[in-house]
Amino acid sequence: MIARSEPGCQADLWKRELGMGITRPEELLDILELDRGLLAAAKAASKGFHLLVPRGYVALMARSDPKDPLLRQVLPLMEELRDPPGFCPDPVGERKAVRAPGLLQKYRGRALLLVTGACAIHCRYCFRRHFRHGDDCARPGRASAAIAHLARDPSISEIILSGGDPLLLDDPAIAVLVGKLEAIPHLRRLRLHTRVPIVLPSRITDGLCHTLKASRLQPVVVLHTNHARELGVAARNALRRLRNAGLALLSQSVLLRGVNDDAGRLADLSEALFQCGALPYYLHMLDRVSGGADFNLDEAAALQILDQLRTLLPGYLVPRLVREAEGRPYKVPIDGATLKRAPVSHRTYGEMTSKNR
Ligand code: SF4
C-alpha cells in the first residue's frame, strides 16, 4: 500500500528539521546559556559518537541548568571516556543474534529488522552507540537477505522495525518495506521501536499514519521516552495522530541516573503517557555499554525506586523493571520480591512530585 501524497510542506518539514539538528557542542551550550567550561569535555567525548539533538527538543530544556534531565541525555561529558569493568561495546551480545544482514533474532517468535543506522537524536546511554551502522543494516535496497530469511521461517510472527530509528525512513520507503513484509503470510504483527514521535514529532505525517493503519499487519508503536518533560505540545499532538490512526501505543524507558532515577519523576512520566494514550511497558536497567557508565544505577537502588513508584500509581501504569541479558529467552524481570524492603514511604503523591523537575 503506497502512502497517499501529501502537501510537500508537511511531508518535508521533518526532513528540514532533522537537517537543522544541533551537532556542535558550542552551539548547544550557547543556546542554553551554559558555561563554555563544559566545551572541551563535550568535544573530547563526542569524537566517537557525535552530538546530535533536534532544536525542538532543546527548546524543552531549562536554561542555565547543566543538570537538566533532557540535556543530560544528549550532552557528551568526560565521564564517557572512563569505562569501569563490565562495560563493553556490545553489552547484550547482539552480534551473536544476527541471522542475516540487518536481521537479529533474540527471542522466539519475533525478530528485529534494523532498517537504518540513523537517529534523530544521539542518546549518550544508547546500547547501540558502537554499532557498525554502515555494515549492519537492512537498509532499503539491502534488505533482501533479511526478508528472504523471514519468509523461510514460519516460527516468526512478529517483525520489529528498529535501528537507529526506523521512522527516519521516509514515507515511500516505509510503504515499500511494509508491502514486502505483508507478503510474508506467517507475519501477523508489525512493531516499531522509535524515539522519533518524542524528539522529532513533525515526522508523524498523514502518509505514515495511513500506511500503518492500512496494513494487514497489526501495528504496535513502542515509544522510547524517559522524562515527562519530553512530552511537549508537539509530541503530544504526534501521539494523538498515531492514536487517531488506531495504532496501539506502548512506551519503554531506560532508568538513568541523573535523568529519571526518582519515583516522582517516573510517576509523572507514566501519567503523561497515559494521557496521550500510551501504556508504560518496560523500565529497562541500563545496558552496560562503553561510555554509558555514568548513567548506571545498581539493582538495589532501582528496586527502591520501583517500590516507591508502586505506591504512587495504579498497577497498570507501573512499567515492568527488566534487564536484557545475553542468551536469555526473555527480558529478565528485576523482581521486587528480592528487595530487602525499606520502610514504606507515607509521603503523598503531591509531596513526592512537588520538587523541581
Ligand atoms: S537508537 Fe534510540 S536510544 Fe539509541 S541513539 Fe538512537 S534514538 Fe537514542
Side-chain angles (χ1 to χ4, degrees):
M1 176 69 68
I2 300 295
R4 293 175 300 182
S5 63
E6 291 178 67
C9 57
Q10 188 198 5
D12 292 340
L13 174 62
W14 69 271
K15 292 182 186 173
R16 289 199 298 277
E17 290 185 355
L18 182 65
M20 290 166 55
I22 294 172
T23 56
R24 292 185 310 117
E26 52 268 52
E27 186 181 4
L28 180 61
L29 295 177
D30 289 349
I31 289 174
L32 294 174
E33 299 160 18
L34 288 169
D35 191 324
R36 282 252 185 153
L38 294 165
L39 184 57
K43 283 190 165 174
S46 62
K47 276 194 181 127
F49 183 51
H50 73 81
L51 170 75
L52 176 63
V53 53
R55 284 169 198 275
Y57 188 82
V58 174
L60 300 171
M61 297 175 185
R63 298 296 181 266
S64 307
D65 181 4
K67 294 191 171 167
D68 179 86
L70 276 58
L71 174 68
R72 182 67 195 90
Q73 296 177 62
V74 299
L75 180 65
L77 297 179
M78 199 57 92
E79 284 76 1
E80 291 181 34
L81 303 176
R82 300 183 201 112
D83 272 339
F87 285 73
C88 64
D90 182 15
V92 296
E94 288 202 320
R95 302 221 174 272
K96 295 179 190 153
V98 174
R99 299 291 174 264
L103 185 73
L104 310 185
Q105 187 172 17
K106 304 191 223 179
Y107 305 120
R108 196 190 142 286
R110 58 243 192 235
L112 278 162
L113 195 58
L114 308 183
V115 296
T116 175
C119 294
I121 189 168
H122 283 177
C123 313
R124 306 316 298 176
Y125 54 85
C126 178
F127 77 107
R128 290 201 185 123
R129 56 180 288 171
H130 303 285
F131 207 74
R132 290 198 320 272
H133 289 120
D135 304 335
D136 295 344
C137 288
R139 297 191 303 270
R142 290 196 71 226
S144 52
I147 301 279
H149 182 96
L150 287 170
R152 280 196 305 272
D153 187 347
S155 73
I156 298 174
S157 59
E158 179 170 14
I159 186 69
I160 303 165
L161 303 188
S162 185
D165 198 306
L167 289 186
L168 287 199
L169 296 190
D170 65 14
D171 290 353
I174 290 207
V176 168
L177 177 61
V178 170
K180 287 180 180 168
L181 296 169
E182 282 175 333
I184 299 174
H186 49 267
L187 288 183
R188 291 201 301 267
R189 279 189 302 280
L190 173 70
R191 197 187 328 165
L192 293 99
H193 281 188
T194 178
R195 192 145 163 69
V196 152
I198 308 299
V199 302
L200 190 70
S202 57
R203 169 66 190 94
I204 308 305
T205 59
D206 294 345
L208 173 69
C209 292
H210 177 77
T211 296
L212 297 177
K213 182 179 183 178
S215 174
R216 80 155 182 85
L217 301 171
Q218 188 176 10
V220 181
V221 177
V222 181
L223 310 162
H224 172 184
T225 178
N226 301 314
H227 195 285
R229 274 190 22 228
E230 294 181 332
L231 293 165
V233 174
R236 288 171 189 252
N237 286 338
L239 299 185
R240 193 166 300 120
R241 288 198 290 281
L242 292 168
R243 283 291 293 166
N244 288 346
L247 309 180
L249 289 187
L250 303 173
S251 169
Q252 55 185 346
S253 306
V254 185
L255 185 59
L256 299 167
R257 197 169 76 85
V259 174
N260 57 12
D261 54 334
D262 173 277
R265 285 187 177 186
L266 291 169
D268 284 350
L269 176 59
S270 283
E271 294 278 4
L273 282 165
F274 197 62
Q275 276 177 4
C276 298
L279 205 56
Y281 167 43
Y282 278 147
L283 178 61
H284 289 265
M285 297 296 295
L286 182 83
D287 296 315
R288 296 185 184 109
V289 66
S290 295
D294 200 44
F295 291 101
N296 195 43
L297 275 116
D298 63 30
E299 290 188 2
L303 281 169
Q304 296 286 359
I305 292 168
L306 182 70
D307 199 50
Q308 286 189 328
L309 185 61
R310 286 181 171 139
T311 69
L312 299 177
L313 292 171
Y316 60 90
L317 290 186
V318 179
R320 277 167 275 172
L321 180 66
V322 293
R323 181 186 288 289
E324 183 163 347
E326 182 181 341
R328 296 293 293 263
Y330 49 82
K331 302 261 191 323
V332 180
I334 308 297
D335 189 344
T338 61
L339 173 67
K340 192 173 176 187
R341 290 186 68 90
V344 173
S345 168
H346 293 293
R347 283 188 291 165
T348 65
Y349 180 81
E351 285 168 339
M352 295 194 73
T353 57
S354 62
K355 69 183 187 181
N356 181 15
R357 302 196 183 111

